Amino acid sequence: MTIERIIKKFKKIHPGADTSLLSSAYYLANKAHQGQKRKSGEDYIQHSLHTAYVLTQIKADINTVAAGILHDVPEDTKHTLKEIKQKFGEDIYNLVKGVTKLGTLKYRGEEKYRENLRKMFVAMAKDVRVIFIKFCDRLHNLRTLEALPPNKQNRISKETLEIYAPIAGLLGMWRLKWQMEDICFKFLHNEEYQKLEQKYEIEKKAERNQYFQKIKNILSEKLKNHGIENFEIQVRFKHLYSIYQKMKKKGKRFNEIYDVFALRIILPTIDDCYKTLGVIHTIWKPQTKRFKDYIAVAKPNGYQSLHTTIFGPEGKNVEFQIRTQKMHDESIYGLSAHWYYKSKSNSQKNKQPHWIKEILKIQKNINTKNFIEEIKLDIFRNRIFVYSPKGDVFELPEKSTPIDFAYAVHTEIGNKATQVLINDKMSNLEYPLKNGDIVEIITEKNRKYPNRNWLKFVKTKKAKENIKSYAKKTTLDSIKKFISRENK
Ligand code: MN
């Protein structure tokens, strides 16, 4: 890797940008790491440059890329953070300091794990870009993991799967997540990895390519006939770790998971996306149940695309994702790409997603180890999205109940909930909600307290806390009443 390659890539994404900052960051880092070698035998600066290159790929801003080049300078050389502050200013100083402070998170048992996770969240709440750098740093460390002894390979892989990968997912940085996971998978479950790789990458490859060419030829011609140009058709590769997980979780065989052939089409405009959808549906018969318009109605996490599955040639199911370049970048690079496009459109920059603010709030009154447990329960668990009758979207943890929903809407609605309509049908308050349910809570005005039995089934922190605080209050009230009666 060279600094020239990074600058070239950066300029491609940010045309006309002044990149002298990157050159001077390189100048210092190169001098600082002079003579240092990685375990792999490479010059140390290679690690810094690779880290910075991945940052460029995910569309990070120039300060983040510069901080990526400098990220190991204060830790491993005689050049200090102070010097970085003097030469590069407050912002880059804070980023490098943030990365240095995270230090080497070492996986040693549950306690340490919680502490590390907490550190990550604290850093993230201050400035998420620190985590971007840490991810790219980690990805390159994983790519060079071969050079380390097996016990370290093991530790780093485990730690990545348990801490880094889930957080990357939270931030929508799927490509990084998948890349990290596949490498860890290879080190932790080598035999299974080899088996899947053999099946997916080697045995199925020719078949996949042939089928892809077939579809591509038919579709390209029709798209051109309809005046649609500048499209890109890609095969969507499944990453091996996700296949492995699915097989394990659902007890399925490889072929059952592999059965759908997945393609992606990237187009210049939204208009082109809909036109392309129309063209696809005139060539092949769509499976109406599997059509989703996430462009008109984005997923609550911001994801946009058209999804359709058609009955393709040779009786195969073919799933298409149709989207613009911006939608595509945001869907694979997550928050980082989101900021890039926001800054391009000059609207609010670096706006933090809602849940980071939530973490910040909870973070302020950390007093127990439960903090991490709560976060894990509320955020790491799979999420579902349900709707109010007006169409407002609420994101809840899996298996949430109407009571969780009621508290998510408003504390008063939770406290006074008595009945629920789910998709216009009467249901019960313990019912585990499913993605896409429309939930209408019926309240009783005169009701004062929530039912403490709800504690047995609610899932969210908000619902639990509200019910508990009333439960305490009602106990106190009845004790008071009891005492006053005794006194009479
Ligand atoms: Mn590093």
Side-chain angles (χ1 to χ4, degrees):
M1 182 57 62
T2 60
I3 186 67
E4 288 77 23
R5 218 177 127 193
I6 295 171
I7 290 175
K8 195 173 153 207
K9 175 92 185 164
F10 190 86
K11 281 195 164 154
K12 206 174 152 198
I13 298 169
H14 309 261
D18 175 7
T19 52
S20 53
L21 182 61
L22 299 180
S23 309
S24 31
Y26 173 68
Y27 180 78
L28 176 65
N30 192 35
K31 198 169 72 176
H33 292 300
Q34 199 62 254
Q36 290 181 342
K37 296 275 181 199
R38 298 270 291 174
K39 283 264 157 39
S40 61
E42 271 187 322
D43 287 339
Y44 200 95
I45 191 71
Q46 279 304 312
H47 167 67
S48 318
L49 291 175
H50 276 283
T51 303
Y53 187 75
V54 183
L55 283 164
T56 315
Q57 282 181 320
I58 67 169
K59 298 185 148 52
D61 65 14
I62 193 155
N63 284 0
T64 312
V65 178
I69 298 174
L70 295 165
H71 82 272
D72 277 328
V73 166
E75 182 88 342
D76 296 335
T77 76
K78 63 182 193 320
H79 297 267
T80 59
L81 270 168
K82 213 169 146 193
E83 184 178 346
I84 288 176
K85 192 178 189 171
Q86 282 161 1
K87 288 196 171 120
F88 298 98
E90 195 79 24
D91 193 44
I92 292 181
Y93 160 77
N94 279 324
L95 290 170
V96 177
K97 191 171 106 183
V99 178
T100 309
K101 251 175 110 180
L102 273 177
T104 44
L105 295 178
K106 285 195 177 127
Y107 183 83
R108 279 200 208 102
E110 187 71 4
E111 271 308 297
K112 196 80 181 173
Y113 164 70
R114 288 159 193 259
E115 180 53 24
N116 288 342
L117 201 54
R118 198 186 64 84
K119 265 186 173 174
M120 291 283 277
F121 277 116
V122 175
M124 193 148 69
K126 280 189 193 146
D127 191 336
V128 185
R129 293 176 302 166
V130 169
I131 304 297
F132 296 170
I133 301 171
K134 199 67 200 167
F135 283 156
C136 298
D137 167 56
R138 175 52 56 108
L139 182 61
H140 185 252
N141 284 337
L142 289 171
R143 284 177 175 161
T144 50
L145 208 53
E146 209 67 62
L148 296 186
N151 63 330
K152 279 197 174 174
Q153 291 174 345
N154 228 292
R155 196 203 77 218
I156 293 172
S157 301
K158 261 191 184 163
E159 179 191 81
T160 305
L161 282 187
E162 295 188 1
I163 299 178
Y164 289 77
I167 296 178
L170 277 179
L171 299 174
M173 305 172 86
W174 300 105
R175 170 150 309 169
L176 284 183
K177 179 176 190 273
W178 294 335
Q179 286 173 334
M180 291 194 283
E181 281 177 348
D182 271 1
I183 299 173
C184 299
F185 176 36
K186 186 171 141 195
F187 282 101
L188 291 175
H189 307 278
N190 195 266
E191 210 175 302
E192 284 94 335
Y193 178 88
Q194 301 291 350
K195 254 193 240 163
L196 277 186
E197 194 188 31
Q198 170 70 21
K199 274 196 178 135
Y200 187 73
E201 307 283 350
I202 301 166
E203 290 170 22
K204 291 276 180 184
K205 198 171 180 182
E207 183 189 321
R208 192 167 57 216
N209 281 346
Q210 210 178 18
Y211 196 71
F212 171 58
Q213 278 309 327
K214 194 171 189 171
I215 300 255
K216 194 176 165 183
N217 292 343
I218 300 172
L219 186 59
S220 301
E221 195 192 316
K222 292 270 183 183
L223 286 176
K224 281 179 196 148
N225 290 345
H226 283 81
I228 302 168
E229 306 275 342
N230 299 322
F231 52 84
E232 192 185 324
I233 307 176
Q234 306 173 341
V235 186
R236 271 156 55 206
F237 290 101
K238 289 234 161 78
H239 76 298
L240 297 178
Y241 187 62
S242 77
I243 299 179
Y244 170 70
Q245 275 180 313
K246 271 188 199 157
M247 287 169 66
K248 232 174 68 172
K249 218 192 273 172
K250 300 187 177 164
K252 285 192 173 176
R253 285 157 183 272
F254 177 77
N255 281 335
E256 292 175 88
I257 285 163
Y258 181 69
D259 66 343
V260 177
F261 191 75
L263 291 176
R264 180 183 298 130
I265 310 175
I266 299 170
L267 297 126
T269 67
I270 290 179
D271 199 42
D272 292 330
C273 292
Y274 284 103
K275 275 190 196 152
T276 300
L277 177 76
V279 172
I280 290 172
H281 285 182
T282 57
I283 312 174
W284 298 289
K285 215 171 137 176
Q287 304 180 9
T288 43
K289 273 192 183 159
R290 297 180 67 175
F291 167 68
K292 292 266 159 50
D293 185 349
Y294 294 122
I295 290 183
V297 183
K299 281 192 185 178
N301 63 6
Y303 175 83
Q304 286 190 296
S305 265
L306 299 173
H307 289 189
T308 188
T309 304
I310 53 107
F311 298 99
E314 299 158 33
K316 282 187 186 157
N317 293 333
V318 183
E319 187 185 273
F320 286 96
Q321 290 176 347
I322 308 163
R323 50 170 75 147
T324 63
Q325 186 69 49
K326 171 174 179 281
M327 292 171 192
H328 178 59
D329 287 342
E330 291 192 355
S331 76
I332 62 172
Y333 300 132
L335 193 58
S336 175
H338 183 63
W339 284 347
Y340 163 74
Y341 285 104
K342 274 215 156 161
S343 69
K344 259 181 46 171
S345 69
N346 258 335
S347 54
Q348 286 161 297
K349 209 186 163 191
N350 292 6
K351 194 171 168 265
Q352 292 186 330
H354 169 72
W355 60 265
I356 290 187
K357 283 188 208 142
E358 286 298 309
I359 289 169
L360 209 60
K361 255 196 270 168
I362 305 171
Q363 169 64 29
K364 279 191 185 134
N365 25 24
I366 304 183
N367 41 20
T368 59
K369 286 180 218 153
N370 292 341
F371 163 69
I372 294 299
E373 283 312 309
E374 299 280 357
I375 295 271
K376 259 166 77 182
L377 288 180
D378 265 15
I379 292 171
F380 278 81
R381 202 202 307 254
N382 289 333
R383 313 293 294 180
I384 55 163
F385 300 105
V386 296
Y387 299 85
S388 76
K390 281 186 202 155
D392 295 324
V393 189
F394 291 84
E395 188 183 346
L396 295 168
E398 219 172 35
K399 297 197 176 110
S400 285
T401 63
I403 294 296
D404 293 296
F405 170 83
Y407 278 105
V409 177
H410 196 280
T411 309
E412 273 305 282
I413 294 184
N415 289 341
K416 294 184 186 304
T418 54
Q419 284 177 307
V420 61
L421 290 172
I422 296 171
N423 305 324
D424 285 332
K425 281 189 203 116
M426 285 302 273
S427 185
N428 66 61
L429 295 170
E430 301 175 36
Y431 173 85
L433 294 171
K434 308 224 160 35
N435 245 331
D437 278 344
I438 301 170
V439 190
E440 183 172 3
I441 299 288
I442 299 165
T443 54
E444 195 185 294
K445 267 191 198 147
N446 299 326
R447 184 177 190 135
K448 281 191 184 130
Y449 302 126
N451 186 336
R452 126 179 27 189
N453 290 329
W454 293 345
L455 282 173
K456 287 180 195 147
F457 57 78
V458 293
K459 295 285 178 285
T460 54
K461 189 174 150 71
K462 192 172 177 193
K464 270 183 213 162
E465 285 190 345
N466 276 296
I467 302 166
K468 269 189 216 157
S469 76
Y470 273 101
K472 255 186 236 154
K473 219 187 275 175
T474 46
T475 318
L476 269 176
D477 281 357
S478 49
I479 292 172
K480 272 185 208 154
K481 260 186 211 156
F482 180 75
I483 294 172
S484 66
R485 207 169 45 208
E486 288 290 289
N487 289 343
K488 264 175 197 164

